[in-house]
Amino acid sequence: MIAQPVLLAALATVIDPELRRPITDLGMVESVGMNDAGHVTAVVRLTIAGCPLHETITRDATAALAKLDGVTDVTVDLTVMTAAQRAELKDRLKGGAADRGIPFNAEDSLTRVYAVASGKGGVGKSSVTVNLACALAAKGLRVGIVDADIYGFSVPGLMGITQTPTRVDEMILPPVAHDVKVISIGMFVAGNQPVAWRGPMLHRALEQFLGDVYFGDLDILLLDLPPGTGDIAISVAQLLPKAEILVVTTPQAAAADVAERAGAIAVQTGQKVAGVIENMSFLTLPDGSTMEVFGSGGGDILSKRLSQTVNAEVELLGQIPLDVALREGGDAGLPIVLSAPESPAAQALISIAGKLAVRPRGLAGMKLGVTPR
């Protein structure tokens, strides 16, 4: 007969698909035991009744236990946490604090926050955001996306997400796709219903996404902003003052002029511009030559102008070519960095992600809890 510690060690390999932590760490294992015939019975607590991923938990727990030598059969029974157990879970996730506000503003937060902005719509900002997120996650980083484009939300479709977020009382668990945690207003509206909100409601929605959604300890959080310098851009500066701005533009000079305003807002908000990304840079023709469909030089012009405006070097992080596979990946919910990683567009996006990934999560100014002797 296998001892209970060994059975629990096997269940410790089972990761909750929403919280992304072992079910043993989350207090989800109520009991586990084995009889003389080798039959293992485990009782697992779900966070809420009707948990949408209960089948995944059952399958993974069964597989983990079945691997042990001497196990002949496995039964996993599901139950639901009591209110007290859910409260204990929330305290565990939040580090024992009842209300920590926006965790990314905490002194001990090491998450790098990038607000992906553009001067106008149609430059591929959302596609760039989801592909960067997936490329960063593929490098082993813990990544989240907040779809802050309330009126023009598109991230769930681009990521292939149809699942609605799970609520544990007031805490919201974001769906996970391609190892990226995602939250969007599109997950809360029926069909293609428009969102007709004024500024204060937009601010409150963003505040709730940042404060009530449990992302856990992320390495990088990406915000897909609406085009321009309106309410959401101002709210991001207020709610996430340490966020850095990534400006997406096309090569067209006129587009660079408009995009400059999106980056120049950093002067007013005190934020840093992390870099410029030029999308739709050129089209490779069948004979191997390239066509500059939208002109050339816009990204370079923008990086130089923003460098002067913010009085700091703003790098042109990369140029992404036009690629049918990029559009196809977005339509299919499988970003091109995963569906066609060897394509020129994917390689450009992966290169940009690499530049963002190597930036260390800084410890400057943080308390280390060390007393000199």
Side-chain angles (χ1 to χ4, degrees):
M1 184 181 296
I2 301 175
Q4 189 183 52
V6 177
L7 298 174
L8 287 171
L11 289 176
T13 65
V14 179
I15 306 299
D16 181 275
E18 293 177 306
L19 295 170
R20 313 298 277 185
R21 287 174 58 175
I23 61 174
T24 49
D25 290 353
L26 299 172
M28 295 176 66
V29 178
E30 183 172 299
S31 63
V32 61
M34 179 179 177
N35 64 19
D36 293 336
H39 184 103
V40 175
T41 300
V43 179
V44 177
R45 305 181 184 119
L46 301 177
T47 52
I48 60 169
C51 175
L53 297 176
H54 66 278
E55 293 181 354
T56 301
I57 295 173
T58 300
R59 182 188 67 241
D60 292 351
T62 301
L65 292 168
K67 292 178 181 178
L68 297 175
D69 291 337
V71 174
T72 59
D73 194 18
V74 177
T75 299
V76 176
D77 295 323
L78 301 179
T79 184
V80 180
M81 287 184 175
T82 64
Q85 289 166 342
R86 282 197 301 273
E88 183 180 346
L89 171 64
K90 289 184 291 183
D91 285 345
R92 185 182 291 114
L93 293 174
K94 295 181 178 180
D99 182 10
R100 298 181 62 186
I102 296 175
F104 307 110
N105 291 334
E107 289 186 2
D108 59 348
S109 174
L110 295 175
T111 305
R112 296 194 71 102
V113 181
Y114 293 110
V116 186
S118 67
K120 62 189 185 73
V123 300
K125 169 182 52 60
S126 297
S127 294
V128 168
T129 301
V130 300
N131 276 284
L132 288 179
C134 291
L136 289 163
K139 293 178 181 294
L141 277 70
R142 292 164 292 190
V143 184
I145 298 177
V146 171
D147 187 357
D149 194 348
I150 304 296
Y151 297 143
F153 56 85
S154 60
V155 171
L158 294 171
M159 293 288 285
I161 297 174
T162 57
Q163 175 194 345
T164 57
T166 300
R167 284 183 174 271
V168 180
D169 298 332
E170 77 282 356
M171 187 170 65
I172 301 171
L173 306 182
V176 181
H178 314 306
D179 289 327
V180 178
K181 297 182 178 181
V182 181
I183 195 69
S184 170
I185 196 66
M187 300 171 181
F188 299 91
V189 299
N192 203 27
Q193 178 183 346
V195 178
W197 291 351
R198 291 188 181 274
M201 294 181 68
L202 299 175
H203 181 91
R204 176 56 188 146
L206 182 60
E207 187 175 35
Q208 188 170 13
F209 284 168
L210 296 172
D212 293 349
V213 176
Y214 178 75
F215 284 101
D217 182 24
L218 297 180
D219 293 301
I220 292 179
L221 176 68
L222 293 164
L223 288 88
D224 182 26
L225 303 189
T229 56
D231 292 310
I232 289 292
I234 297 171
S235 292
V236 167
Q238 294 173 339
L239 297 172
L240 293 168
K242 297 179 182 178
E244 301 177 47
I245 301 173
L246 284 171
V247 186
V248 179
T249 186
T250 61
Q252 188 176 3
D257 289 341
V258 178
E260 184 180 358
R261 303 169 202 157
I265 195 174
V267 176
Q268 301 178 36
T269 60
Q271 294 170 288
K272 178 182 177 181
V273 180
V276 170
I277 299 172
E278 183 184 277
N279 196 23
M280 309 180 192
S281 297
F282 56 86
L283 175 66
T284 301
L285 301 177
D287 63 0
S289 62
T290 60
M291 175 186 293
E292 295 172 335
V293 180
F294 297 106
S296 64
D300 186 55
I301 292 171
L302 179 59
S303 67
K304 291 177 179 177
R305 287 182 181 175
L306 286 177
S307 296
Q308 294 178 342
T309 300
V310 303
N311 197 28
E313 183 180 357
V314 176
E315 181 185 357
L316 175 58
L317 296 172
Q319 296 171 294
I320 306 165
L322 284 162
D323 196 325
V324 173
L326 196 154
R327 190 269 305 163
E328 292 174 339
D331 289 344
L334 186 62
I336 191 173
V337 295
L338 302 177
S339 62
E342 299 303 320
S343 66
Q347 286 296 301
L349 286 157
I350 291 170
S351 174
I352 296 169
K355 293 178 180 179
L356 299 177
V358 297
R359 299 186 179 194
R361 303 204 298 175
L363 297 172
M366 294 183 58
K367 298 178 180 179
L368 299 180
V370 177
T371 303
R373 297 180 60 182

